[in-house]
Amino acid sequence: MNALRRLLRFAAPYRGRLLAAFAWMVLYAAASACLAALIKWVFDDVLERQANVGVVSSAIVGFYLLKGLGSYFSTYLMADVGQRVVRDVRQALYGHIIGQSASFFARRTTGQLMSRLTNDVSMIQQAVSETLGDLVRESLALVGYVALLFYLEARLAIVFLTGAPLVVYPLVRLGQRARRTTRRSQEELERLSHLSAETFTGHRIVKAFGTEREEQRRFAGAADRVYRANMKVTAVLSSLPPVMELLGALGIVAALWYGSREMTVGEFTTFMAALMLMYAPAKKLSRVNATLQQTIAASERIFELLDTHNEILDRPGARPLAPLSRGIEFRDVGFGYEDDRRHPILRGVSLSVAAGEKVAIVGRSGAGKTTLVNLLPRFHDVTSGAILIDGVDIRDVTLASLRGQIGMVTQETILFDDTIARNIAYGSAGATDAEIEAAARAAYAHEFIRAMPRGYQTVIGERGQRLSGGQRQRIAIARALLRNSPILILDEATSSLDSESEQLVQEALANLMANRTAIVIAHRLSTVQRADLIVVLDRGRVVETGRHEELLAQPRGAYARLYAMQMAAGRRGGPEAGALHRETLGLPWGEG
């Protein structure tokens, strides 16, 4: 029940509404008990003596009115509180997820996180909005009916209530089983969400390799597992009403044997009516218990995620980072993921980047280039050594001020399903239309934007699918230009573009890098010859540093070998050939 208690803490800010709902529930329960009590008057006064007809009639109408008002307002207020709680839980979960480090996302799939945020939260929505209200309202109604039973015949009420444990025990056992089966159902639904998200994202590969039927079979298998898990939940929930009916029938039989000989007609009829009226709230409570168990299962999964802490946080006393003036230093930096510290990705990396310098980081795939630059904005924290900006450890400054000084353009351009203007202004709150257009012009994007149906107000689709690769990159460059950060990270920013697009992007990058400190990850060495410093990484270590000519002067060096391999590929007409040709045309330097 710990998960349920934690969930109920989200309702604490709305205790005023809860108290008002409780007051209306008390009115509902009292009116329900009074209506049952009127049955005695109907039989003993109205039917036998033809007395108090008007009074009883008025009482019936009045109590039904009060019961209706209690039901409406308590339901409305509980639904309001429930919706607010679900909103707050979803916001807390989203904020917690988005605040985690890059390694958190590396260990979890998008489908899994989306399932927690949507399916699990939706599972608790009905419980908080309706079930908790039913729990209190129907429990109060039962209390009212029990009080009436004791008023009519205390001994028979006691006998009847001694059988209550026979009702409660199977409900508890079935509820526990419902929790277990619900958790399995949610896990299978999470796998289904992951599978669908994966195939939707990779739809081009699915179509290119003609694997639609195979993916349909995989999805059908996952959907079938969800079906079986859900049917197990249904089997548990469907067993509750028959159990309740059987136990209720035994109680009614006992009342018949005893009450028919010891009570007046009115008392006996009222007792039996109250007994039967108890069946509806008791049956609803049995379902409430099952729903609460389902809610607990979903809540446990939500709180498991909320209790996972992999955030990169500000240290106590962290201060804002002053604008870059001297340079950046990687001092004996090491990094490895927590679950594989025996095989670190970076080992003792040391290098200095003076303010205004353009530094290229090169090396084979898997050398640790992207990991190294991801440490600068603290997507991960170093596991050894330190990164300093103007002599200050970046862990001692606020994240907001650190990341505010860093702009990024990556090979995988991330755009959002929004307008072009909003994508360019992303992260630059308050940017004017003139500033957005100026950034687009500097990124050589204004012409194609102006030619689009709605210009800067054109919605570009998920991940910018309605744009070409070169157009997406120029939007990303415009975004970095508008942010105007003094430090720039370029990660393979032109490696996947065609010749015409790359020329425009290179020119845009030249504008972007002007008067900035740039750290560039480059795969094609033909584009880094004008760098102020080239750093060669191999298996997580810096093996060489220097300018292009200095490194080529070491024929057995790592850089010279990489360059020779790419030159040979270019002469054979490989993918490097186009890059080498473009270099001879004197295009601006600046591959990421």
Side-chain angles (χ1 to χ4, degrees):
M1 295 294 287
N2 182 54
L4 186 59
R5 284 198 298 269
R6 290 183 65 179
L7 181 62
L8 291 177
R9 289 177 195 158
F10 282 88
Y14 313 115
R15 57 177 62 89
R17 287 179 171 83
L18 288 172
L19 288 173
F22 181 78
W24 286 107
M25 290 176 190
V26 170
L27 179 63
Y28 169 87
S32 298
C34 289
L35 282 169
L38 284 176
I39 296 174
K40 178 178 182 299
W41 286 17
V42 170
F43 276 89
D44 289 348
D45 290 1
V46 176
L47 295 181
E48 286 192 8
R49 298 193 297 270
Q50 299 295 313
N52 300 319
V53 176
V55 174
V56 173
S57 299
S58 299
I60 290 173
V61 173
F63 286 134
Y64 266 113
L65 177 62
L66 292 176
K67 181 181 178 182
L69 290 173
S71 175
Y72 172 79
F73 284 109
S74 63
T75 300
Y76 179 85
L77 288 170
M78 286 302 299
D80 178 70
V81 172
Q83 293 292 341
R84 290 171 185 266
V85 168
V86 169
R87 177 197 63 191
D88 295 346
V89 170
R90 185 169 275 136
Q91 289 176 349
L93 185 59
Y94 179 81
H96 181 78
I97 292 173
I98 206 69
Q100 300 302 303
S101 71
S103 58
F104 171 89
F105 291 95
R107 291 194 294 267
R108 290 167 178 82
T109 67
T110 301
Q112 288 175 331
L113 298 176
M114 288 297 297
S115 180
R116 300 290 175 98
L117 194 61
T118 55
N119 298 332
D120 288 342
V121 175
S122 296
M123 178 68 73
I124 71 172
Q125 185 165 343
Q126 181 182 1
V128 181
S129 297
E130 301 175 15
T131 306
L132 290 179
D134 287 342
L135 175 64
V136 178
R137 185 168 46 249
E138 303 305 331
S139 296
L140 289 173
L142 280 178
V143 169
Y145 291 135
V146 169
L148 179 59
L149 294 179
F150 272 92
Y151 172 76
L152 294 170
E153 178 53 61
R155 288 174 297 177
L156 182 56
I158 292 173
V159 171
F160 178 74
L161 291 178
T162 55
L166 296 176
V167 178
V168 173
Y169 179 75
L171 293 181
V172 171
R173 296 293 296 173
L174 289 171
Q176 291 172 344
R177 186 179 175 189
R179 188 196 307 187
R180 292 192 297 269
T181 52
T182 297
R183 188 177 181 92
R184 285 196 292 271
S185 173
Q186 291 297 97
E187 289 169 353
E188 293 297 342
L189 193 58
E190 182 179 284
R191 295 188 185 97
L192 190 71
S193 298
H194 164 60
L195 180 61
S196 57
E198 192 174 48
T199 50
F200 292 159
T201 303
H203 65 93
R204 292 183 180 179
I205 298 299
V206 172
K207 294 180 182 300
F209 284 84
T211 56
E212 290 93 340
R213 290 188 177 180
E214 175 61 27
E215 293 300 336
Q216 287 176 358
R217 283 194 293 270
R218 289 178 61 201
F219 187 88
D224 188 60
R225 288 192 293 273
V226 172
Y227 160 76
R228 291 198 298 268
N230 284 339
M231 288 310 298
K232 289 180 180 178
V233 175
T234 302
V236 174
L237 298 182
S238 300
S239 64
L240 293 174
V243 171
M244 289 295 301
E245 289 176 358
L246 176 60
L247 295 174
L250 294 176
I252 291 172
V253 168
L256 280 172
W257 277 93
Y258 178 84
S260 60
R261 297 191 299 269
E262 300 291 333
M263 305 168 72
T264 68
V265 172
E267 290 173 341
F268 177 72
T269 305
T270 303
F271 192 95
M272 291 298 298
L275 202 58
M276 291 180 179
L277 287 171
M278 289 178 66
Y279 171 71
K283 183 178 179 180
K284 186 173 285 189
L285 285 176
S286 71
R287 292 177 177 174
V288 164
N289 175 61
T291 305
L292 285 178
Q293 296 301 325
Q294 292 178 294
T295 302
I296 292 170
S299 300
E300 286 173 345
R301 285 164 49 83
I302 291 171
F303 290 122
E304 281 175 6
L305 203 55
L306 284 173
D307 291 337
T308 300
H309 292 285
N310 197 237
E311 305 99 327
I312 302 296
L313 301 173
D314 288 337
R315 283 180 171 176
R319 59 187 187 278
L321 177 64
L324 175 70
S325 60
R326 298 196 305 274
I328 304 166
E329 180 185 0
F330 292 79
R331 183 181 294 173
D332 198 28
V333 167
F335 175 77
Y337 289 107
E338 290 182 5
D339 53 359
D340 195 18
R341 291 288 170 82
R342 292 179 299 176
H343 302 92
I345 299 172
L346 298 172
R347 304 175 182 86
V349 174
S350 295
L351 65 99
S352 296
V353 182
E357 275 192 336
K358 312 297 185 286
V359 175
I361 301 176
V362 302
R364 300 176 184 274
S365 295
K369 305 185 295 295
T370 298
T371 301
L372 181 63
V373 297
N374 283 342
L375 295 176
L376 183 57
R378 290 187 68 195
F379 294 159
H380 310 278
D381 267 338
V382 299
T383 51
S384 62
I387 301 174
L388 302 96
I389 294 179
D390 292 341
V392 178
D393 191 323
I394 62 173
R395 291 170 292 186
D396 293 330
V397 301
T398 62
L399 277 171
S401 64
L402 170 66
R403 293 173 179 170
Q405 295 204 39
I406 300 173
M408 294 190 73
V409 180
T410 63
Q411 177 181 359
E412 183 185 7
T413 306
I414 304 299
L415 299 177
F416 300 94
D417 187 13
D418 207 334
T419 64
I420 292 175
R422 288 183 179 274
N423 271 281
I424 293 175
Y426 189 79
S428 301
T432 65
D433 292 343
E435 291 169 335
I436 292 171
E437 182 176 325
R441 288 181 181 275
Y444 296 95
H446 177 71
E447 294 301 322
F448 83 78
I449 295 173
R450 190 175 60 179
M452 300 194 81
R454 298 188 60 197
Y456 283 85
Q457 299 307 312
T458 301
V459 177
I460 58 177
E462 184 181 12
R463 302 175 70 87
Q465 291 185 65
R466 298 175 188 172
L467 304 177
S468 69
Q471 289 172 338
R472 288 196 295 269
Q473 284 292 51
R474 281 177 277 165
I475 294 295
I477 292 168
R479 181 170 60 194
L481 279 163
L482 185 59
R483 189 171 173 82
N484 197 27
S485 302
I487 301 170
L488 181 64
I489 295 174
L490 303 178
D491 188 352
E492 304 270 11
T494 66
S495 62
S496 60
L497 303 179
D498 57 63
S499 302
E500 182 179 356
S501 296
E502 183 174 355
Q503 180 175 350
L504 289 170
V505 171
Q506 289 280 17
E507 292 170 355
L509 287 172
N511 290 337
L512 177 59
M513 288 192 295
N515 303 316
R516 287 182 174 84
T517 305
I519 300 177
V520 183
I521 294 177
H523 177 69
R524 294 195 295 245
L525 304 185
S526 58
T527 59
V528 302
Q529 297 180 17
R530 302 175 193 173
D532 297 312
L533 179 70
I534 298 173
V535 178
V536 184
L537 280 183
D538 186 35
R539 299 179 183 178
R541 296 183 184 276
V542 175
V543 294
E544 289 178 346
T545 60
R547 296 180 67 87
H548 174 70
E549 297 79 7
E550 296 169 350
L551 295 175
L552 281 186
Q554 305 173 33
R556 295 187 178 180
Y559 182 83
R561 291 197 303 271
L562 285 172
Y563 192 79
M565 290 171 58
Q566 293 192 3
M567 289 288 288
R571 285 191 294 270
R572 292 194 300 269
E576 191 65 17
L580 291 172
H581 174 68
R582 289 191 293 279
E583 181 65 22
T584 63
L585 297 178
L587 296 180
W589 178 81
E591 162 151 357

